[in-house]
Amino acid sequence: IDIYGKGEPAIMGKKTEFLFMSEQDCIDAGVLDIPKSIDNSEEVFKLLAMGDYLMGGYHHDNHGLYLMFPESSPFPNMPLAGPDKRFVAMPAYLGGRFNLCGVKWYGSNAENKNIGLPRSVLTVTLNDKDTGERNCQRQGHVAREVDAADHANRGDRKSVV
């Protein structure tokens, strides 16, 4: 299949190795280990202070790209504005021993509490900085991103075709 219009077939069937972590997987990996989380957080702040990171935006310092909903819309299925209702994509690169790219994607809605969900529902995807291949994908309610990055970098991955 020539999906790029260049007379070359797309490479199909390459197996991508990645780790999918449920909330329980994150807990089992140690994200509730407070001393470890503090150590990882200190390491990240040192990398930030050194400048060994990038965030989105032209100046590499945007704290996410926000999708905000309008107050009204002529389209019946379009979500409308509400208290704390938005989606945000937060891409970043973190150097040091982590040495990967990723994005935290979250949807936020203050009304979630009425259906038993947290205000923000998070997903984190970590990628190889050179190839873009996904290394790890997980929900993000409990865990910190650096803990999942540490776990993913140990090579604990599952195969997905």
Side-chain angles (χ1 to χ4, degrees), residues 67-112:
L67 176 64
M68 308 293 285
F69 299 107
E71 294 292 329
S72 65
S73 171
F75 305 102
N77 291 330
M78 183 175 287
L80 300 178
D84 206 22
K85 189 174 181 179
R86 64 187 180 272
F87 284 87
V88 183
M90 303 172 74
Y93 161 78
L94 183 61
R97 71 179 173 93
F98 303 103
N99 196 33
L100 46 75
C101 288
V103 63
K104 178 167 75 173
W105 168 257
Y106 76 88
S108 177
N109 186 346
E111 299 297 319
N112 281 353

Side-chain angles (χ1 to χ4, degrees), residues 35-55:
K36 179 182 176 188
S37 292
I38 291 170
D39 289 345
N40 282 336
S41 295
E42 286 177 352
E43 187 175 354
V44 168
F45 281 113
K46 287 177 185 176
L47 292 169
L48 297 177
M50 292 176 3
D52 194 6
Y53 75 98
L54 297 171
M55 290 170 49

Side-chain angles (χ1 to χ4, degrees), residues 12-149:
M12 303 300 243
K14 181 178 182 316
K15 185 169 61 172
T16 296
E17 303 282 335
F18 81 98
L19 175 67
F20 176 81
M21 297 178 76
S22 67
E23 183 172 337
Q24 188 60 52
D25 292 334
C26 293
I27 292 168
D28 293 345
V31 298
L32 298 180
D33 180 342
I34 300 304
K36 179 182 176 188
S37 292
I38 291 170
D39 289 345
N40 282 336
S41 295
E42 286 177 352
E43 187 175 354
V44 168
F45 281 113
K46 287 177 185 176
L47 292 169
L48 297 177
M50 292 176 3
D52 194 6
Y53 75 98
L54 297 171
M55 290 170 49
Y58 182 76
H59 297 288
H60 308 293
D61 62 358
N62 286 4
H63 194 70
L65 174 65
Y66 287 68
L67 176 64
M68 308 293 285
F69 299 107
E71 294 292 329
S72 65
S73 171
F75 305 102
N77 291 330
M78 183 175 287
L80 300 178
D84 206 22
K85 189 174 181 179
R86 64 187 180 272
F87 284 87
V88 183
M90 303 172 74
Y93 161 78
L94 183 61
R97 71 179 173 93
F98 303 103
N99 196 33
L100 46 75
C101 288
V103 63
K104 178 167 75 173
W105 168 257
Y106 76 88
S108 177
N109 186 346
E111 299 297 319
N112 281 353
K113 66 183 178 215
N114 298 329
I115 57 171
L117 289 173
R119 178 188 55 82
S120 292
V121 180
L122 311 169
T123 301
V124 176
T125 302
L126 302 173
N127 302 85
D128 181 282
K129 68 175 175 58
D130 295 316
T131 66
E133 282 193 295
R134 179 177 51 198
N135 290 335
C136 177
Q137 187 166 41
R138 67 171 184 79
Q139 68 77 29
H141 296 352
V142 174
R144 298 212 178 264
E145 286 74 10
V146 293
D147 297 308

